């Protein structure tokens, strides 16, 4: 009886070898582009016309599928690593992290347990330790890399509710509650919806921050029964505002309430000595997130979730089943015990590899460089009489208005920039007014880029 024939999809033959070389060549060419093309979206009808049926019984073949992606599909995606992509929060991964992402995919590592991925988990924990040290968290702090801030915030609040339940001596409250401000990321309210708990808003101060004073006043009005966590933000998405973390931490300590800090975007500023003082108080957080795929130059999808006491999170998140006994009964660190989800790729490895390759000083320099450009942008807006800064930036987000423009004029201007393949800067809103903003997280963004975009608004 002969050996069974390996299915074609799992054979490493001449076709697979050639496809591998083609994929690596495409990757190298993409990395060498300087700058990358900005590109832009196409309509569903346009893509249907050029792509046609891509999933067929016999397949297109690797070369044809790669060509279709390179020539038609990729150009229909806006390049988030373009230096003049300044909308939302961009992604500007280092070449080292991008290349190692290929290694992670090729290595087929399960990153959910120590038993199966000890080497990868060890490396990820080293990267998490660097972030924990930046925040001033204790030596026993730890956590896991999750897909993004939404999962990170949800996982932290699930752990907070578990801790709140353990503290109670009586039955659960009628409703659990989370407290934050209206400037908190939408994922916080989304997490509350998923958990079926209430979100209580706190007014911000004149600088747009959550403060201990306003937090205390709100809690005196609403009471604290059922309060499972207070959420502060270290760099709001729209403005980059850092809450008054120290005074909020004081109130949380007084009440014995879980203190969570959402630093998905702005937490990377901890690496910058020029603004580190603005984060004072973060070292007292019970949980903290930061997305390396935002301002720490890692590929999508990578959020670092850290806990002051990981054992509380482990008690909240560990999944139990007969087939998992070999993992849950072990003493080793299993990343899947610390967040929502069991199956996970080792998404922190590209970030670790880049840190290990370049060193942490290079990361400090890169973050400081983006802050230099943000300060230049603020100064340049002050210098021009047709634009007006809404607020001096805390971090690297710069929000401003074009004096006299309607929402329609903002949109037409934004569309023209993208159509010309020059820049991607979209409108946003603040207190009912349409304005716009620069989110500067790419060290390749220059002062000339900022001036050139502002020139188009004259």
């Amino acid at each position: 009886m002969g050996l069974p024939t390996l299915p074609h999809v799992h054979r490493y033959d001449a076709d697979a070898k050639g496809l591998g070389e083609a994929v690596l060549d495409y990757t190298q060419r993409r990395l060498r582009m300087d700058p990358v093309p900005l590109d832009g979206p196409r309509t569903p009808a346009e893509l249907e016309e050029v792509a046609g049926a891509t999933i067929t019984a016999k397949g297109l073949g690797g070369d044809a599928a790669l060509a279709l992606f390179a020539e038609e599909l990729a150009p229909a995606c806006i390049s988030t690593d373009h230096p003049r992509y300044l909308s939302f929060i961009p992604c500007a991964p280092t070449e080292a992290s991008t290349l190692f992402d290929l290694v992670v995919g090729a290595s087929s590592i399960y990153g959910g347990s120590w038993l199966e991925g000890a080497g990868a988990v060890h490396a990820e924990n080293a990267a998490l330790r660097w972030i924990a040290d930046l925040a001033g968290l204790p030596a026993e702090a730890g956590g896991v890399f999750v897909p993004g801030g939404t999962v990170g915030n949800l996982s932290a609040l699930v752990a907070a509710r578990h801790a709140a339940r353990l503290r109670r001596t009586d039955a659960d409250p009628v409703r659990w509650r989370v407290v934050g401000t209206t400037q908190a990321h939408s994922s916080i309210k989304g997490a509350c919806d998923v958990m079926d708990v209430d979100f209580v808003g706190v007014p911000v101060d004149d600088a747009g921050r959550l403060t201990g004073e306003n937090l205390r006043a709100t809690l005196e009005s609403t009471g604290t029964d059922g309060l499972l966590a207070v959420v502060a933000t270290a760099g709001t998405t729209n403005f980059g505002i850092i809450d008054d973390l120290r005074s909020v931490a004081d109130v949380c300590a007084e009440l014995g309430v879980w203190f969570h800090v959402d630093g998905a975007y702005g937490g990377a500023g901890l690496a910058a000595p020029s603004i580190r003082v603005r984060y004072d108080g973060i070292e007292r957080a019970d949980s903290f997130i930061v997305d390396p795929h935002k301002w720490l130059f890692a590929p999508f999808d990578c959020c670092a979730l850290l806990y002051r006491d990981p054992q509380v999170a482990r008690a909240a998140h560990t999944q139990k089943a007969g087939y998992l006994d070999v993992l849950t009964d072990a003493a080793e660190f299993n990343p899947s015990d610390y967040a929502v989800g069991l199956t996970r790729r080792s998404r922190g490895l590209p970030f670790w590899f880049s840190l290990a390759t370049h060193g942490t000083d290079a990361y400090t320099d890169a973050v400081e460089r983006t802050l230099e450009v943000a300060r230049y942008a603020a100064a340049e807006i002050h210098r021009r009489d047709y634009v007006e800064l809404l607020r001096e930036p805390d971090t690297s987000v710069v929000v401003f208005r074009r004096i006299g423009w309607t929402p329609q004029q903002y949109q037409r201007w934004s569309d023209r920039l993208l159509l010309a393949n020059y820049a991607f800067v979209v409108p946003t809103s603040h207190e009912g007014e349409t304005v716009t903003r620069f989110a500067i997280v790419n060290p390749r963004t220059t002062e000339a880029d900022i001036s050139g975009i502002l020139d188009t608004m004259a």
Side-chain angles (χ1 to χ4, degrees):
M1 185 175 180
L3 293 174
T5 302
L6 194 65
H8 178 69
V9 294
H10 281 91
R11 286 205 300 266
Y12 189 81
D13 52 18
D15 289 343
K17 181 176 183 295
L19 181 58
E21 292 170 350
V23 167
L24 292 175
D25 179 66
Y26 174 85
T27 302
Q28 292 284 4
R29 286 188 285 110
R30 177 60 171 74
L31 289 174
R32 285 196 296 266
M33 293 177 179
D34 187 21
V36 298
L38 185 59
D39 295 324
R42 301 172 77 174
T43 67
E46 289 171 336
L47 285 173
E48 184 63 33
E49 181 179 353
V50 298
T54 60
I55 307 301
T56 65
K58 299 301 182 183
L60 303 178
D63 290 341
L66 182 60
L68 175 62
F69 175 78
E71 296 167 13
E72 303 291 354
L73 302 181
C77 304
I78 302 175
S79 299
T80 63
D81 55 342
H82 189 283
R84 290 189 294 276
Y85 182 120
L86 301 174
S87 296
F88 311 117
I89 301 293
C91 177
T94 64
E95 284 75 8
S97 64
T98 298
L99 288 168
F100 205 73
D101 211 17
L102 296 179
V103 175
V104 173
S107 299
S108 194
I109 297 169
Y110 172 66
S113 76
W114 186 270
L115 174 65
E116 296 157 284
V121 175
H122 176 81
E124 286 186 312
N125 285 348
L128 288 167
R129 186 66 252 168
W130 178 64
I131 295 173
D133 287 343
L134 288 178
L137 292 174
E140 61 270 20
V144 60
F145 287 102
V146 296
T150 296
V151 175
N153 284 327
L154 173 61
S155 299
L157 293 178
V158 167
R161 182 173 60 184
H162 182 83
R165 280 176 170 154
L166 292 179
R167 287 196 302 269
R168 288 184 73 89
T169 57
D170 51 3
D172 280 0
V174 175
R175 296 286 294 175
W176 288 106
R177 294 180 296 149
V178 171
V179 172
T181 76
T182 56
Q183 301 302 312
H185 192 268
S186 56
S187 64
I188 298 297
K189 299 180 184 67
C192 290
D193 290 341
V194 170
M195 297 168 64
D196 193 27
V197 303
D198 294 333
F199 179 82
V200 178
V202 180
V204 296
D205 69 359
D206 292 341
R209 304 175 305 165
L210 172 64
T211 65
E213 180 182 3
N214 286 358
L215 173 61
R216 185 177 285 106
T218 296
L219 295 178
E220 288 173 354
S221 173
T222 64
T224 60
D225 188 49
L227 177 60
L228 67 90
V230 172
V231 177
T233 307
T236 59
T237 303
N238 211 24
F239 273 80
I241 296 170
I242 301 172
D243 287 335
D244 184 359
L245 303 178
R246 181 183 296 278
S247 67
V248 173
D250 287 342
V251 176
C252 291
E254 291 170 18
L255 299 177
V257 175
W258 187 283
F259 178 32
H260 175 63
V261 178
D262 177 1
Y265 149 64
L270 289 164
S274 67
I275 62 170
R276 177 59 181 83
V277 67
R278 296 176 183 170
Y279 298 84
D280 283 356
I282 198 170
E283 69 281 357
R284 297 162 68 187
D286 293 292
S287 54
F288 164 60
I289 69 162
V290 58
D291 288 355
H293 67 233
K294 288 187 168 73
W295 199 12
L296 285 175
F297 323 122
F300 295 119
D301 52 354
C302 182
C303 167
L305 165 60
L306 286 160
Y307 299 98
R308 170 175 294 277
D309 181 359
Q311 294 310 311
V312 175
R314 184 179 184 182
H317 287 291
T318 298
Q319 296 188 32
K320 296 178 174 62
Y323 72 96
L324 295 175
D325 287 348
V326 67
L327 302 180
T328 54
D329 293 343
E332 289 84 7
F333 183 95
N334 298 317
S336 61
D337 288 341
Y338 299 91
V340 173
L342 182 61
T343 300
R344 70 177 295 272
R345 70 190 297 267
S346 298
R347 57 178 47 86
L349 281 183
F351 175 54
W352 162 81
F353 183 77
S354 187
L355 278 171
T357 297
H358 297 296
T360 58
D361 286 351
Y363 272 70
T364 290
D365 292 344
V367 174
E368 289 284 17
R369 172 59 185 151
T370 61
L371 289 166
E372 287 177 6
V373 176
R375 294 181 193 115
Y376 173 85
E380 192 68 3
I381 290 165
H382 281 309
R383 192 180 69 81
R384 299 172 185 240
D385 60 8
Y386 55 89
V387 286
E388 183 178 29
L389 195 68
L390 269 66
R391 184 187 190 279
E392 292 294 335
D394 276 4
T395 48
S396 67
V397 173
V398 183
V399 186
F400 62 102
R401 64 170 57 90
R402 171 51 166 93
I403 298 170
W405 269 11
T406 65
Q408 294 75 23
Q409 286 174 298
Y410 278 104
Q411 191 59 59
R412 287 196 295 269
W413 165 75
S414 177
D415 292 343
R416 285 197 303 271
L417 290 180
L418 183 57
L419 187 62
N421 220 247
Y422 182 67
F424 184 53
V425 188
V426 300
T428 187
S429 60
H430 174 64
E431 297 181 349
E433 178 189 4
T434 298
V435 293
T436 192
R437 62 193 275 283
F438 295 147
I440 304 165
V441 302
N442 190 338
R444 295 185 181 89
T445 303
T446 66
E447 289 85 351
D449 291 325
I450 298 300
S451 293
I453 294 169
L454 292 173
D455 287 345
T456 68
M457 305 181 87

